[in-house]
Amino acid sequence: MLRILPLNALLTRAFIFFAALTLSACAIFGDPNPLDETKGWPEQRLYAAGQEKMADKNYDKAIDYFQKLEARYPHGAYATQAQLEVAYAYYKKSEPVLCLSAVDRFIKLHPNHPNLDYAYYLKGLATFNERGIIEKYTKQEINDRDPKTLRVSFNAFKELVERFPNSRYVKDSTQRMIYLVNTLAMHEMHVARYYMQRKAYVAAVNRTKYVLETYPNSNAVEDALVTMISAYDAMNLDDLKADTLRVLKSNYPENPMVSGKITEDEKVWWKFWESLYQ
């Protein structure tokens, strides 16, 4: 005989079933609203906790604390510093895009902040040694890379040096700028050599001219002159070749092309040297 339960018993069993189902879901997927351990923390405690996580190299947790601090106390004493701490944490995590975003936000919000020089310094550091996934696995040299990120780094250091000449970061920034100029110039010379190998001599000359005009104090100038002379020789532009050779002699008298001390390997690459010194 079919037993029909009263309505209140059915409702009770349904409630128990759904409660059990909810508890099971929480056990499997976790509590959708986990307790926030920082609830009610004053801003000073949040900042100290973030600093502690930075010291422990737990950058994700540090970022979480600093971002909560800014959200809860946007006008507090630590809010602005927390923005810089977030940027620095992203830098330490090797997240240049997020670091740049955080730094640019800080610069936009606080154009007159006393630590603005540090913000530009951090922006320069963010992409100073940036490498993509392919570059990391292939161990690609820095001067073989797309120079876009290197220019971002250079421009950040340049703005720091020009706007804050008395900053404590000027000396290091200047040294990094010299390195970046040489690296960018060498990148252009890699491209020029590629064009030489493809016998695209006009394109090679244009690249060397760009190096001479844009990076006149770089250590790639000598190489640019040699490549330019080689390209002019290949195109039978004797007057231009002679003019460039005079510049090379005047500035680099010990260059093998000038001194005649050329190895056999160099003769294979720079074939016109054979006719000059035989």
Side-chain angles (χ1 to χ4, degrees):
M1 180 177 178
L2 181 64
R3 182 184 176 191
I4 300 176
L5 295 173
L7 180 60
N8 59 347
L10 288 173
L11 292 174
T12 300
R13 290 192 177 189
F15 174 79
I16 294 173
F17 172 76
F18 284 113
L21 186 63
T22 302
L23 290 174
S24 298
C26 289
I28 296 173
F29 300 107
D31 188 351
N33 298 302
L35 293 176
D36 186 352
E37 61 175 347
T38 68
K39 186 176 181 180
W41 284 12
E43 59 177 323
Q44 187 174 4
R45 184 179 177 184
L46 272 171
Y47 185 77
Q51 290 282 65
E52 182 180 344
K53 294 303 178 182
M54 288 291 292
D56 294 338
K57 298 183 179 181
N58 187 347
Y59 302 120
D60 287 324
K61 196 64 177 178
I63 290 169
D64 179 55
Y65 283 146
F66 289 134
Q67 288 180 335
K68 284 179 178 177
L69 187 159
E70 184 189 357
R72 294 177 190 174
Y73 306 100
H75 304 295
Y78 295 90
T80 303
Q81 185 61 30
Q83 294 171 9
L84 273 181
E85 297 288 358
V86 167
Y88 181 64
Y90 281 131
Y91 166 68
K92 296 297 288 184
K93 278 189 65 183
S94 298
E95 296 280 0
V97 174
L98 294 176
C99 178
L100 285 176
S101 177
V103 170
D104 285 338
R105 175 173 177 263
F106 178 88
I107 292 173
K108 182 178 180 180
L109 292 175
H110 313 287
N112 299 311
H113 195 274
N115 291 333
L116 196 61
D117 60 335
Y118 172 74
Y120 280 108
Y121 181 66
L122 189 56
K123 183 175 181 178
L125 290 178
T127 56
F128 184 74
N129 285 320
E130 182 188 352
R131 288 173 178 266
I133 295 176
I134 295 176
E135 292 161 344
K136 289 177 182 177
Y137 280 99
T138 60
K139 297 182 179 180
Q140 186 178 4
E141 292 293 333
I142 190 172
N143 54 352
D144 290 332
R145 294 160 39 200
D146 183 345
K148 181 179 179 180
T149 57
L150 300 180
R151 292 195 182 101
V152 170
S153 181
F154 177 84
N155 289 334
F157 289 132
K158 181 173 180 286
E159 187 153 7
L160 163 62
V161 170
E162 291 179 346
R163 292 184 60 183
F164 309 97
N166 298 319
S167 168
R168 58 184 292 194
Y169 305 107
V170 164
K171 183 177 179 180
D172 185 69
S173 297
T174 302
Q175 293 174 341
R176 291 177 185 274
M177 287 170 65
I178 293 171
Y179 172 80
L180 287 169
V181 164
N182 288 328
T183 302
L184 288 165
M186 285 189 288
H187 169 81
E188 296 297 329
M189 289 311 304
H190 272 284
V191 178
R193 292 190 198 99
Y194 171 83
Y195 285 137
M196 289 295 293
Q197 291 172 340
R198 298 298 185 275
K199 298 183 178 181
Y201 302 122
V202 173
V205 167
N206 288 336
R207 285 286 177 167
T208 58
K209 284 182 177 179
Y210 181 80
V211 170
L212 296 175
E213 293 170 358
T214 309
Y215 310 112
N217 298 316
S218 72
N219 55 17
V221 170
E222 182 177 2
D223 192 15
L225 291 170
V226 171
T227 304
M228 182 179 287
I229 293 168
S230 178
Y232 285 145
D233 180 81
M235 293 187 289
N236 297 315
L237 298 175
D238 296 334
D239 290 343
L240 292 174
K241 181 182 73 174
D243 290 341
T244 309
L245 186 58
R246 280 193 291 271
V247 175
L248 182 68
K249 287 180 179 179
S250 175
N251 292 278
Y252 304 97
E254 298 301 319
N255 183 274
M257 183 181 292
V258 176
S259 65
K261 299 175 182 178
I262 307 163
T263 66
E264 290 301 318
D265 289 340
E266 288 172 329
K267 286 185 178 182
V268 170
W269 172 241
W270 305 107
K271 293 184 179 180
F272 74 98
W273 286 4
E274 298 178 10
S275 62
L276 287 177
Y277 299 109
Q278 286 186 357

